[in-house]
Amino acid sequence: NPKEIRYRQDYMVAKTIMGQLLKLNDYGEVEPDLVLEWQVSEDGKFYTLVIRPDAYFHSGKQATIQDVYFTLHFLSRPPSLIRHVFKNIEGYACYIKNQCDHIQGIQRVDSTTLSIQLTAPSFTFLMDLADPKVVMLPENLNGLSEEEFFKKPDGIGPYRLVSKTDNNSELI
């Protein structure tokens, strides 16, 4: 479960299976992954993300903005070791206190576009979204419980989990 990952080797495996919205290259620069392009407002408070139309989960399901919307909400909900990524999004505090059913600052614009509004400017927010623990998830975890889903996750990364035992995992 990406909300519980503590060790580098675990999140490195998770991101290769699950895939990411954005990634960092060897120079620490943000690069596309599922997100094909992005725009940042001049004041650094509004981010617009456009996803690739050709991304599919290992199950064959096409990755959609609804999956991105779900992923951001899922990863931000406590308990989560990466909720710091989301703390400056408008409406986050309301959401984690269970006073709202969604994070107000995350909006689906159309089938490939998502907008994110922050409470204050952040010129590092894209780097936060490229954190290797911010991985892609299918909406509602394909109808499975968290425990069931993360035993054999369905991701968009270049590798797929084929089998797993207590001491060994096989990826292809």
Side-chain angles (χ1 to χ4, degrees), residues 134-147:
V134 179
V135 296
M136 264 307 294
L137 302 168
E139 181 182 12
N140 297 321
L141 304 177
N142 291 338
L144 301 172
S145 70
E146 284 183 46
E147 183 179 349

Side-chain angles (χ1 to χ4, degrees), residues 6 10 24 62 80 92 124 162-163 170-171:
R6 294 181 187 274
D10 294 333
L24 296 176
Q62 185 174 16
S80 176
Y92 172 74
T124 62
V162 176
S163 66
E170 181 181 352
L171 303 176

Side-chain angles (χ1 to χ4, degrees), residues 77 93-101:
R77 172 131 348 247
C94 176
Y95 179 68
I96 64 164
K97 292 176 186 174
N98 290 318
Q99 296 171 339
C100 334
D101 63 352

Side-chain angles (χ1 to χ4, degrees), residues 23 54 148 154 164:
K23 60 187 176 184
D54 62 346
E148 291 175 300
D154 185 17
K164 181 180 178 183

Side-chain angles (χ1 to χ4, degrees), residues 6-20:
R6 294 181 187 274
Y7 304 106
R8 187 176 198 278
Q9 65 270 21
D10 294 333
Y11 66 73
M12 297 307 281
V13 170
K15 77 176 192 170
T16 62
I17 296 170
M18 307 305 294
Q20 295 180 263

Side-chain angles (χ1 to χ4, degrees), residues 102-125:
H102 68 282
I103 301 172
Q104 178 187 354
I106 301 174
Q107 298 291 320
R108 295 162 292 218
V109 176
D110 59 35
S111 63
T112 60
T113 310
L114 188 84
S115 69
I116 300 174
Q117 179 183 354
L118 304 181
T119 57
S122 173
F123 295 97
T124 62
F125 185 65

